[in-house]
Amino acid sequence: MAQSIWVIGQRGKSGISRATREILGKANGLAGGDSSAVTGVYCGASADGVADEMAQSGAGSVITMTDPRLETYTADFYVSAISHLAGDRKPDVILIAATADGRELAAALATSFGGGAVQDCTELEWDGDTLLGTRACFGGNRTAVVENCSPGAKVFSVRPNSFPVPDAGGGGVSAEEVAPVLPEGDPRVKVLEFIPDAGGTINLLDADVIVSGGRGLGKAEGFKVIQDLADVLGGAVGASRAVVDSGWIAYPHQVGQTGKTVKPKLYIALGISGAIQHLAGMRTADTIVAVNKDENAPIFNVAHYGIVGDLFEIAPALTAKFREVLQG
Amino acid sequence: MKAIVFVKEVAETPDGVSVTSDGQLSSGEGGAFLTDPIDPYSIETALQLKDKSGGEVIAITAGEPRAEKILKEALAMGADEAFLVHDEAASGSDPYATARLLAGAAKKSGDYDIIVVGERAADDNSYAIGPALGQHLDIPVLTYVNEVREFDPENKKIRVVRSIDGGSQVVEATLPAVITVVKGIHEPRYPSLMGIRKASKREVPVWSIADIGEEAERVGPSGSPTRMRSFDPPPPPSGCEMIEGTPEEVAEQLVGKIMDKKIL
Ligand SMILES: Cc1cc2nc3c(=O)[nH]c(=O)nc-3n(C[C@H](O)[C@H](O)[C@H](O)COP(=O)(O)OP(=O)(O)OC[C@H]3O[C@@H](n4cnc5c(N)ncnc54)[C@H](O)[C@@H]3O)c2cc1C
């Protein structure tokens, strides 16, 4: 019999988050397409539309637990609700999107079962009956394949963007509503306020896209073309040490051995030669694009796509094309 | 006020690090070790709480005897006491077994108001210790803290700003609590020469698992729920595909490839 897999649903800007849908799709794949093995579990103040959305992404059944105290995630309430439910239903595997809250929930939930979570997986695969998670260690310099030997449910958190969003299909599942078991008394943690990030100030470490500039920019003003490209991609601006040392941009933007180690989905390096110390900070990016006028620049050794040319011609063309494609 | 800071020794590079037959990281003997780069931020956070509220800061690590060195660095920065949890049976603990050791150490060190740890460790990147401590000690946990807005041990209250996906969240919790901090919460201070000299002369008491009320089978490899099957450098990139043409042609091709691969 297929192992039962739970996917903990998180809300995004509209409906179930993209990361949750990716994981539902993956869970369905892990169940060999047998969606009856995949259950979406959702906690919230209300669960309107949740069952359909989760079913469309691959859940064969959906359990919802609603209570005003579950409106915003807090470990205390979510761990209580989910661990009680898991104690009753005994799922084999629990998958959670590795957002900040998701990683906290994964570790706390797994500990409450007497085990541990395998965090931040970018791949999940069976070895016989054992689910293995692949994850980065040492800032991306090592890849570990990890087995979860916890008693009871095995919890894995999964990095957003690791799997494709499944095509919507199916649906028509009606949720089973379960009354959550929550701690009594005054909550120990109260969420008071959420302040969304202003656009453009995206953290380099969490950015999905980083556009970096090096000495090839010629002068501080050269960063304009980098910023324009980053803006259209909703990305962050990175830099080599040479330009930080020259005072063209502030140190928090520096990528490399003595700067930040980043792992965006897309890293675009313009006018950066690719010194080993720079590579140390970005070589594990999922996709690397290099633009350099020197065809022998070492950056091309780690790039997936290379363009030999003048960045002041290439960058604006890329910006225009991305704008056309992304913003219609 | 009493703050406990948990620190960790990590290998400077992964080169000498391997995985034991029990699936745990083993740093070997020869390599260089340093304080996890996140730890000075945790220590600084605790020291600033002490600067405001008075009291003491206690630094604790679970590890090998050589980890005394990083505890002395914590003392040099200004921690008042330091303890090493070390036991043959505990060597080769994964982050969850380590969290048991640290929870035991926290209980042994008595009434604390706050526990400060890094958001994650630089070697295993497991994001585990803070939330696991919260469960073991049955106290609230606030992860990814980039600012402590209010800290009131008298009235047992803390208010922090968490940096989470898409923005910042202001959260209040009762004390005692665990907080995990991100880099950038405060610039860590440098230890003074005097501090370094004094710290070098301090004895660091060592606690065994019996001292902290743990049992051999709950820690070390046998108490570790996560096991690494392999630990390798990431595969080398598959080679660079050069894209040629006018800037417009190049842009068209590259953007097409990136959209096709669903990178965005
Ligand atoms: C201990 C130590 C630590 C270091 N840490 C870091 C670190 O953390 N991060 C880091 O980045 N560096 C670091 N460095 C510095 C590193 O060795 C390099 O000096 C630095 O990365 C070079 O920066 P760059 O690529 O911008 O400049 P250069 O090496 O000067 O490269 C500029 C590139 O731009 C290209 N170019 C010029 N004009 C154009 C144009 N119009 N269009 C397209 N391409 C153009 C050139 O062909 C060249 O390849 C460190 C060095 C040491 C010794």
Side-chain angles (χ1 to χ4, degrees), chain B:
Chain B
M1 189 286 299
K2 180 142 124 193
I4 298 175
V5 185
F6 290 123
V7 294
K8 179 177 185 185
E9 175 198 70
V10 297
E12 189 173 1
T13 75
D15 296 339
V17 179
S18 58
V19 170
T20 63
S21 57
D22 302 314
Q24 304 308 321
L25 283 183
S26 160
S27 303
E29 286 304 315
F33 296 93
L34 35 81
T35 304
D36 192 311
I38 191 86
D39 291 341
Y41 296 87
S42 313
I43 299 168
E44 180 64 35
T45 302
L47 291 174
Q48 292 203 12
L49 296 177
K50 174 183 143 182
D51 291 346
K52 278 192 216 111
S53 308
E56 57 175 344
V57 172
I58 298 175
I60 300 177
T61 191
E64 302 303 315
R66 61 167 187 253
E68 192 188 83
K69 174 174 154 245
I70 66 163
L71 291 172
K72 292 202 166 172
E73 285 175 25
L75 290 168
M77 270 181 82
D80 300 280
E81 300 285 340
F83 300 95
L84 170 69
V85 180
H86 170 71
D87 201 299
E88 290 287 303
S91 125
S93 289
D94 81 347
Y96 292 90
T98 303
R100 284 205 186 101
L101 295 168
L102 301 179
K107 283 182 192 150
K108 179 170 171 67
S109 61
D111 288 332
Y112 49 84
D113 299 282
I114 188 160
I115 293 175
V116 188
V117 295
E119 55 159 335
R120 60 165 165 173
D123 50 1
D124 56 53
N125 292 53
S126 69
Y127 302 93
I129 299 293
L133 283 172
Q135 292 294 312
H136 289 309
L137 299 169
D138 193 18
I139 57 177
V141 53
L142 304 169
T143 49
Y144 310 97
V145 171
N146 67 18
E147 185 190 337
V148 177
R149 285 245 169 115
E150 262 177 63
F151 178 68
D152 183 356
E154 285 291 284
N155 296 303
K156 306 219 163 294
K157 226 179 214 161
I158 185 170
R159 184 179 289 192
V160 305
V161 183
R162 300 176 64 217
S163 107
I164 62 173
D165 302 70
S168 309
Q169 191 186 50
V170 185
V171 194
E172 198 172 80
T174 54
L175 294 175
V178 182
I179 66 171
T180 81
V181 302
V182 297
K183 280 185 190 173
I185 179 165
H186 301 293
E187 228 10 77
R189 67 193 67 183
Y190 287 105
S192 66
L193 277 178
M194 179 74 124
I196 295 172
R197 201 172 312 136
K198 275 193 178 153
S200 70
K201 294 188 193 123
R202 294 279 294 274
E203 289 278 313
V204 173
V206 179
W207 291 341
S208 68
I209 58 172
D211 291 333
I212 57 166
E214 265 305 339
E215 289 151 30
E217 58 281 5
R218 284 167 43 90
V219 299
S222 56
S224 294
T226 62
R227 291 190 188 177
M228 293 192 190
R229 290 270 187 97
S230 64
F231 177 77
D232 299 305
S238 51
C240 186
E241 180 181 339
M242 301 308 284
I243 299 174
E244 288 161 19
T246 65
E248 288 67 34
E249 288 164 5
V250 163
E252 170 111 35
Q253 285 184 56
L254 179 70
V255 173
K257 287 175 194 294
I258 287 174
M259 299 313 290
D260 286 351
K261 280 183 71 183
K262 297 205 159 72
I263 292 168
L264 295 176

Side-chain angles (χ1 to χ4, degrees), chain A residues 10 19 77 150 157 199 264 305:
Chain A
Q10 296 179 22
F77 287 115
S150 301
S157 72
Y305 300 109

Side-chain angles (χ1 to χ4, degrees), chain A residues 242-303:
Chain A
V243 297
V244 171
D245 287 350
S246 304
W248 299 355
I249 193 165
Y251 172 72
H253 293 273
Q254 184 179 317
V255 173
Q257 188 178 308
T258 45
K260 295 197 167 76
T261 298
V262 298
K263 194 188 186 322
K265 287 193 286 177
L266 176 61
Y267 188 90
I268 308 182
L270 300 107
I272 292 179
S273 60
I276 185 79
Q277 296 91 352
H278 189 79
L279 303 184
M282 44 64 74
R283 69 184 314 154
T284 61
D286 297 348
T287 299
I288 299 169
V289 174
V291 179
N292 198 300
K293 65 180 186 189
D294 173 8
E295 62 180 11
N296 295 316
I299 189 79
F300 290 126
N301 297 336
V302 301

